[in-house]
Amino acid sequence: MSLQALLFDVDGTLVDTEELHRQAFNQAFLDYGFGWEWDAARYRDLLTVSGGTARMARHIDTIDLPAAEKTRLRRLIPALHREKTRIYGELLGSNTVRMRPGVARLIKQAHQAGLRIGLATTSSSVNASTLVTGLFGPNARDIIGAIVCSDEVSRKKPAPDIYELLLSMLRVPASAAIAFEDSANGLTAAKAAGLFTVVTPTQWTRSQKFVDADLMLPSLGEPDQPLDPASVLRIGGPCLELAMLEKLRSPIMSTLKLREAKS
Ligand code: XBP
Ligand code: MG
């Protein structure tokens, strides 16, 4: 079935925002008088947990405190996450956030070719709408056909729910769409939804395992920011173009990839 939609994860794929999230978490901890500071290494570990509230719960689980104190702190998570989200919104407003290499170019190519574009994020809807308006302007929804956020599904990534809902909102079968992700949880979610998935990790997720990625690239590249020789060989050009995707996702290419992986 011909390609009808491109589905992008947000944090780490559309834009590299995890540093701003990390700063927002740390500022919220400070505002609450907690002596917690997530440095880059700690945040990289905690990013294996999807969703800020679950991430904070995991942190509480790992610190050495009496059970009653942990219970008290867990009760504060919703308020703490609202504070973090407020601060993150301010950081989005005071920092220039650009799409990762090749993303704006590929979305434009796809939109002009009549494909539908969807966003699927584990982040909260208030973050996603602030970001999308900042990136695509007031007419963002002319380009982005649907956005699904964590608060709209019962199970976050790595469950497929977010991608299944996005596909149904775009009225596209999984066989006619391609997902773009940066994390192992996101890849698992997309594959469980039956999607051909391109993974472009960031410094925050590079050490994660991407076992069944259909295509791994450092980024989507740009004509003036060509990819590394191995990636160029894999996709047949200096950066990922819409025209390449049809061929790359064909069953023949998948078989060849399988053979390459086994050799
Ligand atoms: C990334 C996440 C989010 C953000 C933090 O989402 O896992 O939790 O790190 O945002 P995705 P929240 O890569 O799926 O876009 O604090 O709002 O969860
Ligand atoms: Mg992500």
Side-chain angles (χ1 to χ4, degrees), residues 9 11-13 181-183:
D9 158 61
D11 294 298
T13 304
E181 267 287 353
D182 73 304
S183 69

Side-chain angles (χ1 to χ4, degrees), residues 5 13 34 61 98 101 108 162 228 235 242-243:
T13 304
F34 297 155
D61 290 347
R98 283 194 187 79
K108 188 171 171 207
I162 218 159
D228 60 286
I235 62 173
L242 182 66

Side-chain angles (χ1 to χ4, degrees), residues 10-236:
V10 175
D11 294 298
T13 304
L14 196 76
V15 280
D16 190 354
T17 45
E18 291 301 351
E19 175 55 20
L20 292 184
H21 280 297
R22 186 180 74 88
Q23 291 175 23
F25 280 111
N26 286 333
Q27 185 57 51
F29 300 152
L30 218 54
D31 293 355
Y32 268 70
F34 297 155
W36 305 342
E37 160 91 23
W38 287 352
D39 64 12
R42 176 64 173 153
Y43 193 59
R44 203 167 286 119
D45 285 348
L46 286 169
L47 263 175
T48 56
V49 180
S50 278
T53 51
R55 203 165 296 149
M56 289 194 273
R58 172 70 62 81
H59 175 70
I60 291 167
D61 290 347
T62 61
I63 46 184
D64 185 15
L65 285 170
E69 176 58 2
K70 287 195 176 191
T71 306
R72 185 186 76 83
L73 289 172
R74 283 195 195 93
R75 284 204 194 99
L76 290 175
I77 287 177
L80 195 48
H81 193 250
R82 282 192 294 275
E83 175 64 358
K84 176 266 171 182
T85 301
R86 182 190 65 76
I87 296 164
Y88 179 69
E90 285 177 357
L91 289 173
L92 284 180
S94 56
N95 285 269
T96 309
V97 177
R98 283 194 187 79
M99 281 185 260
R100 289 189 63 193
V103 173
R105 176 180 51 77
L106 194 63
I107 287 177
K108 188 171 171 207
Q109 286 175 1
H111 182 62
Q112 285 171 345
L115 273 68
R116 297 187 191 108
I117 310 291
L119 303 183
T121 177
T122 312
S123 183
S124 0
S125 41
V126 62
N127 292 343
S129 48
T130 310
L131 199 62
V132 166
T133 311
L135 292 171
F136 295 94
N139 305 323
R141 295 313 293 263
D142 296 346
I143 300 169
I144 309 294
I147 304 175
V148 179
C149 304
S150 65
D151 20 21
E152 295 164 82
V153 287
S154 48
R155 298 182 306 165
K156 289 187 175 67
K157 300 175 188 174
D161 304 32
I162 218 159
Y163 279 110
E164 287 167 347
L165 178 56
L166 186 57
L167 286 165
S168 70
M169 287 166 77
L170 292 171
R171 293 190 302 283
V172 171
S175 57
I178 290 180
F180 296 81
E181 267 287 353
D182 73 304
S183 69
N185 281 340
L187 170 62
T188 305
K191 293 307 293 176
L195 288 158
F196 180 98
T197 306
V198 179
V199 176
T200 54
T202 65
Q203 51 144 334
W204 298 103
T205 57
R206 195 160 296 133
S207 58
Q208 295 180 7
K209 297 275 173 284
F210 299 106
V211 177
D212 52 357
D214 294 293
L215 178 62
M216 288 287 300
L217 293 172
S219 80
L220 302 184
E222 292 289 10
D224 59 357
Q225 291 177 56
L227 293 169
D228 60 286
S231 299
V232 169
L233 212 60
R234 197 168 306 142
I235 62 173

